[in-house]
Amino acid sequence: MQLNLNCVRDTLMTIEEWSVLNDDLEFVDIYLENICKSSKMLKYTKPDIAYTILILKEAGFISAAIDHSSDGMDILYISRLTYSGHLFLDTIRPQAFWEKIHSIADKTGLKSLSVIMEIADLLLPDTLKSALHS
């Protein structure tokens, strides 16, 4: 199964938007089914979103739990973005910057999250210089 980079970005943005810390200082769980119904996520399949969430959890970008059964995943829910997840999302959030990163990833065929972070790190100094001089 391939990782859909646009799904990664949209999933992180949805989790950030939906994360809630209640009055008891507990994060309210966000379930896969609810993420799939988000207007931003309707263009992706449930398996693509679930796979993206698994990868984001493995990468340490989200705090999530998965209950498994003999048939596969029973329940998948997210509580929040981690600090690393916030850093990554803040880097890829601007649409123009994301399009540059995505274009380079498409040209090279290298689309892992670590490569996306490397591309962002390479592009960031020029982007910051440009912003300072405008």
PDB file of all heavy atoms in Angstrom, residues 20 23 32 45-46 50 53 64 81 84-85 88 90 92 97 99 110 120 133:
ATOM      1  N   VAL A  20      -9.422  18.223  21.087  1.00  0.00           N
ATOM      2  CA  VAL A  20     -10.058  18.961  22.174  1.00  0.00           C
ATOM      3  C   VAL A  20      -9.504  18.457  23.494  1.00  0.00           C
ATOM      4  O   VAL A  20      -9.440  17.247  23.727  1.00  0.00           O
ATOM      5  CB  VAL A  20     -11.597  18.761  22.150  1.00  0.00           C
ATOM      6  CG1 VAL A  20     -12.246  19.390  23.372  1.00  0.00           C
ATOM      7  CG2 VAL A  20     -12.194  19.308  20.872  1.00  0.00           C
ATOM      8  N   ASP A  23     -12.558  19.960  30.067  1.00  0.00           N
ATOM      9  CA  ASP A  23     -12.377  20.621  31.366  1.00  0.00           C
ATOM     10  C   ASP A  23     -11.669  19.756  32.396  1.00  0.00           C
ATOM     11  O   ASP A  23     -11.110  20.265  33.365  1.00  0.00           O
ATOM     12  CB  ASP A  23     -13.736  21.083  31.916  1.00  0.00           C
ATOM     13  CG  ASP A  23     -14.312  22.246  31.125  1.00  0.00           C
ATOM     14  OD1 ASP A  23     -13.533  22.944  30.437  1.00  0.00           O
ATOM     15  OD2 ASP A  23     -15.536  22.454  31.180  1.00  0.00           O
ATOM     16  N   LEU A  32     -11.729   7.031  13.812  1.00  0.00           N
ATOM     17  CA  LEU A  32     -11.506   6.917  12.372  1.00  0.00           C
ATOM     18  C   LEU A  32     -12.771   7.242  11.588  1.00  0.00           C
ATOM     19  O   LEU A  32     -12.712   7.980  10.598  1.00  0.00           O
ATOM     20  CB  LEU A  32     -11.004   5.514  12.018  1.00  0.00           C
ATOM     21  CG  LEU A  32     -10.891   5.190  10.530  1.00  0.00           C
ATOM     22  CD1 LEU A  32      -9.867   6.097   9.859  1.00  0.00           C
ATOM     23  CD2 LEU A  32     -10.537   3.732  10.331  1.00  0.00           C
ATOM     24  N   THR A  45     -10.148   7.132   0.656  1.00  0.00           N
ATOM     25  CA  THR A  45     -10.851   5.932   1.114  1.00  0.00           C
ATOM     26  C   THR A  45     -10.555   5.696   2.597  1.00  0.00           C
ATOM     27  O   THR A  45      -9.537   6.162   3.124  1.00  0.00           O
ATOM     28  CB  THR A  45     -10.412   4.690   0.321  1.00  0.00           C
ATOM     29  OG1 THR A  45      -9.034   4.418   0.616  1.00  0.00           O
ATOM     30  CG2 THR A  45     -10.603   4.890  -1.188  1.00  0.00           C
ATOM     31  N   LYS A  46     -11.442   4.957   3.229  1.00  0.00           N
ATOM     32  CA  LYS A  46     -11.238   4.614   4.640  1.00  0.00           C
ATOM     33  C   LYS A  46      -9.920   3.854   4.832  1.00  0.00           C
ATOM     34  O   LYS A  46      -9.171   4.159   5.760  1.00  0.00           O
ATOM     35  CB  LYS A  46     -12.435   3.813   5.161  1.00  0.00           C
ATOM     36  CG  LYS A  46     -12.368   3.510   6.627  1.00  0.00           C
ATOM     37  CD  LYS A  46     -13.630   2.788   7.082  1.00  0.00           C
ATOM     38  CE  LYS A  46     -13.623   2.488   8.556  1.00  0.00           C
ATOM     39  NZ  LYS A  46     -14.876   1.828   8.986  1.00  0.00           N
ATOM     40  N   ALA A  50      -6.927   5.118   7.270  1.00  0.00           N
ATOM     41  CA  ALA A  50      -6.466   4.247   8.358  1.00  0.00           C
ATOM     42  C   ALA A  50      -4.972   3.972   8.225  1.00  0.00           C
ATOM     43  O   ALA A  50      -4.231   4.034   9.218  1.00  0.00           O
ATOM     44  CB  ALA A  50      -7.255   2.939   8.358  1.00  0.00           C
ATOM     45  N   ILE A  53      -3.011   7.026   9.238  1.00  0.00           N
ATOM     46  CA  ILE A  53      -2.994   7.163  10.695  1.00  0.00           C
ATOM     47  C   ILE A  53      -1.978   6.200  11.315  1.00  0.00           C
ATOM     48  O   ILE A  53      -1.227   6.577  12.224  1.00  0.00           O
ATOM     49  CB  ILE A  53      -4.408   6.966  11.274  1.00  0.00           C
ATOM     50  CG1 ILE A  53      -5.287   8.161  10.879  1.00  0.00           C
ATOM     51  CG2 ILE A  53      -4.367   6.804  12.796  1.00  0.00           C
ATOM     52  CD1 ILE A  53      -6.760   7.966  11.153  1.00  0.00           C
ATOM     53  N   ALA A  64      -2.154   7.870  19.199  1.00  0.00           N
ATOM     54  CA  ALA A  64      -3.304   7.107  18.725  1.00  0.00           C
ATOM     55  C   ALA A  64      -3.291   5.727  19.351  1.00  0.00           C
ATOM     56  O   ALA A  64      -2.255   5.255  19.818  1.00  0.00           O
ATOM     57  CB  ALA A  64      -3.277   6.989  17.200  1.00  0.00           C
ATOM     58  N   LEU A  81      -2.158  15.522  18.259  1.00  0.00           N
ATOM     59  CA  LEU A  81      -0.858  15.601  17.599  1.00  0.00           C
ATOM     60  C   LEU A  81       0.212  15.631  18.671  1.00  0.00           C
ATOM     61  O   LEU A  81       0.010  16.199  19.742  1.00  0.00           O
ATOM     62  CB  LEU A  81      -0.733  16.886  16.775  1.00  0.00           C
ATOM     63  CG  LEU A  81      -1.629  17.084  15.565  1.00  0.00           C
ATOM     64  CD1 LEU A  81      -1.361  18.446  14.943  1.00  0.00           C
ATOM     65  CD2 LEU A  81      -1.412  16.001  14.541  1.00  0.00           C
ATOM     66  N   SER A  84       6.220  16.623  17.714  1.00  0.00           N
ATOM     67  CA  SER A  84       6.804  16.376  16.386  1.00  0.00           C
ATOM     68  C   SER A  84       5.765  16.535  15.290  1.00  0.00           C
ATOM     69  O   SER A  84       6.063  17.036  14.203  1.00  0.00           O
ATOM     70  CB  SER A  84       7.401  14.969  16.316  1.00  0.00           C
ATOM     71  OG  SER A  84       8.473  14.839  17.201  1.00  0.00           O
ATOM     72  N   GLY A  85       4.541  16.099  15.577  1.00  0.00           N
ATOM     73  CA  GLY A  85       3.460  16.255  14.608  1.00  0.00           C
ATOM     74  C   GLY A  85       3.136  17.709  14.337  1.00  0.00           C
ATOM     75  O   GLY A  85       2.905  18.112  13.194  1.00  0.00           O
ATOM     76  N   PHE A  88       6.001  19.161  12.201  1.00  0.00           N
ATOM     77  CA  PHE A  88       5.896  18.708  10.821  1.00  0.00           C
ATOM     78  C   PHE A  88       4.752  19.418  10.107  1.00  0.00           C
ATOM     79  O   PHE A  88       4.924  19.933   9.000  1.00  0.00           O
ATOM     80  CB  PHE A  88       5.706  17.190  10.780  1.00  0.00           C
ATOM     81  CG  PHE A  88       5.644  16.619   9.394  1.00  0.00           C
ATOM     82  CD1 PHE A  88       6.746  16.672   8.550  1.00  0.00           C
ATOM     83  CD2 PHE A  88       4.492  16.021   8.929  1.00  0.00           C
ATOM     84  CE1 PHE A  88       6.686  16.145   7.270  1.00  0.00           C
ATOM     85  CE2 PHE A  88       4.420  15.486   7.657  1.00  0.00           C
ATOM     86  CZ  PHE A  88       5.523  15.549   6.824  1.00  0.00           C
ATOM     87  N   ASP A  90       3.307  22.286  10.845  1.00  0.00           N
ATOM     88  CA  ASP A  90       3.592  23.710  10.657  1.00  0.00           C
ATOM     89  C   ASP A  90       4.534  23.939   9.480  1.00  0.00           C
ATOM     90  O   ASP A  90       4.454  24.965   8.802  1.00  0.00           O
ATOM     91  CB  ASP A  90       4.170  24.323  11.928  1.00  0.00           C
ATOM     92  CG  ASP A  90       3.104  24.550  12.991  1.00  0.00           C
ATOM     93  OD1 ASP A  90       1.898  24.516  12.649  1.00  0.00           O
ATOM     94  OD2 ASP A  90       3.475  24.757  14.159  1.00  0.00           O
ATOM     95  N   ILE A  92       4.681  21.957   6.700  1.00  0.00           N
ATOM     96  CA  ILE A  92       4.029  21.644   5.418  1.00  0.00           C
ATOM     97  C   ILE A  92       2.679  22.328   5.255  1.00  0.00           C
ATOM     98  O   ILE A  92       2.025  22.158   4.233  1.00  0.00           O
ATOM     99  CB  ILE A  92       3.871  20.118   5.230  1.00  0.00           C
ATOM    100  CG1 ILE A  92       2.923  19.520   6.277  1.00  0.00           C
ATOM    101  CG2 ILE A  92       5.224  19.426   5.224  1.00  0.00           C
ATOM    102  CD1 ILE A  92       2.550  18.064   6.025  1.00  0.00           C
ATOM    103  N   PHE A  97       4.165  26.244  -0.213  1.00  0.00           N
ATOM    104  CA  PHE A  97       5.344  25.496   0.233  1.00  0.00           C
ATOM    105  C   PHE A  97       5.105  23.994   0.067  1.00  0.00           C
ATOM    106  O   PHE A  97       5.980  23.257  -0.390  1.00  0.00           O
ATOM    107  CB  PHE A  97       5.658  25.851   1.694  1.00  0.00           C
ATOM    108  CG  PHE A  97       7.015  25.406   2.164  1.00  0.00           C
ATOM    109  CD1 PHE A  97       8.167  25.898   1.574  1.00  0.00           C
ATOM    110  CD2 PHE A  97       7.137  24.510   3.212  1.00  0.00           C
ATOM    111  CE1 PHE A  97       9.423  25.497   2.011  1.00  0.00           C
ATOM    112  CE2 PHE A  97       8.383  24.099   3.661  1.00  0.00           C
ATOM    113  CZ  PHE A  97       9.524  24.598   3.058  1.00  0.00           C
ATOM    114  N   GLU A  99       3.154  22.560  -2.101  1.00  0.00           N
ATOM    115  CA  GLU A  99       3.193  22.226  -3.528  1.00  0.00           C
ATOM    116  C   GLU A  99       4.628  22.066  -4.023  1.00  0.00           C
ATOM    117  O   GLU A  99       4.912  21.187  -4.838  1.00  0.00           O
ATOM    118  CB  GLU A  99       2.431  23.272  -4.328  1.00  0.00           C
ATOM    119  CG  GLU A  99       0.928  23.162  -4.125  1.00  0.00           C
ATOM    120  CD  GLU A  99       0.135  24.314  -4.721  1.00  0.00           C
ATOM    121  OE1 GLU A  99       0.719  25.202  -5.378  1.00  0.00           O
ATOM    122  OE2 GLU A  99      -1.097  24.318  -4.512  1.00  0.00           O
ATOM    123  N   LEU A 110      10.655   9.887  -4.408  1.00  0.00           N
ATOM    124  CA  LEU A 110      10.945   9.640  -2.999  1.00  0.00           C
ATOM    125  C   LEU A 110       9.854  10.289  -2.157  1.00  0.00           C
ATOM    126  O   LEU A 110       9.749  11.514  -2.131  1.00  0.00           O
ATOM    127  CB  LEU A 110      12.323  10.205  -2.635  1.00  0.00           C
ATOM    128  CG  LEU A 110      13.481   9.649  -3.460  1.00  0.00           C
ATOM    129  CD1 LEU A 110      14.760  10.419  -3.184  1.00  0.00           C
ATOM    130  CD2 LEU A 110      13.667   8.168  -3.185  1.00  0.00           C
ATOM    131  N   ALA A 120      11.692  19.676   2.912  1.00  0.00           N
ATOM    132  CA  ALA A 120      11.246  20.893   3.600  1.00  0.00           C
ATOM    133  C   ALA A 120      12.427  21.627   4.223  1.00  0.00           C
ATOM    134  O   ALA A 120      12.537  22.857   4.120  1.00  0.00           O
ATOM    135  CB  ALA A 120      10.207  20.556   4.658  1.00  0.00           C
ATOM    136  N   HIS A 133      12.932  39.456   2.896  1.00  0.00           N
ATOM    137  CA  HIS A 133      13.258  40.519   1.931  1.00  0.00           C
ATOM    138  C   HIS A 133      12.048  41.063   1.195  1.00  0.00           C
ATOM    139  O   HIS A 133      12.193  41.910   0.324  1.00  0.00           O
ATOM    140  CB  HIS A 133      14.319  40.020   0.947  1.00  0.00           C
ATOM    141  CG  HIS A 133      15.608  39.661   1.605  1.00  0.00           C
ATOM    142  ND1 HIS A 133      16.408  40.591   2.211  1.00  0.00           N
ATOM    143  CD2 HIS A 133      16.225  38.466   1.759  1.00  0.00           C
ATOM    144  CE1 HIS A 133      17.484  39.994   2.700  1.00  0.00           C
ATOM    145  NE2 HIS A 133      17.394  38.694   2.447  1.00  0.00           N
TER     146      HIS A 133
END
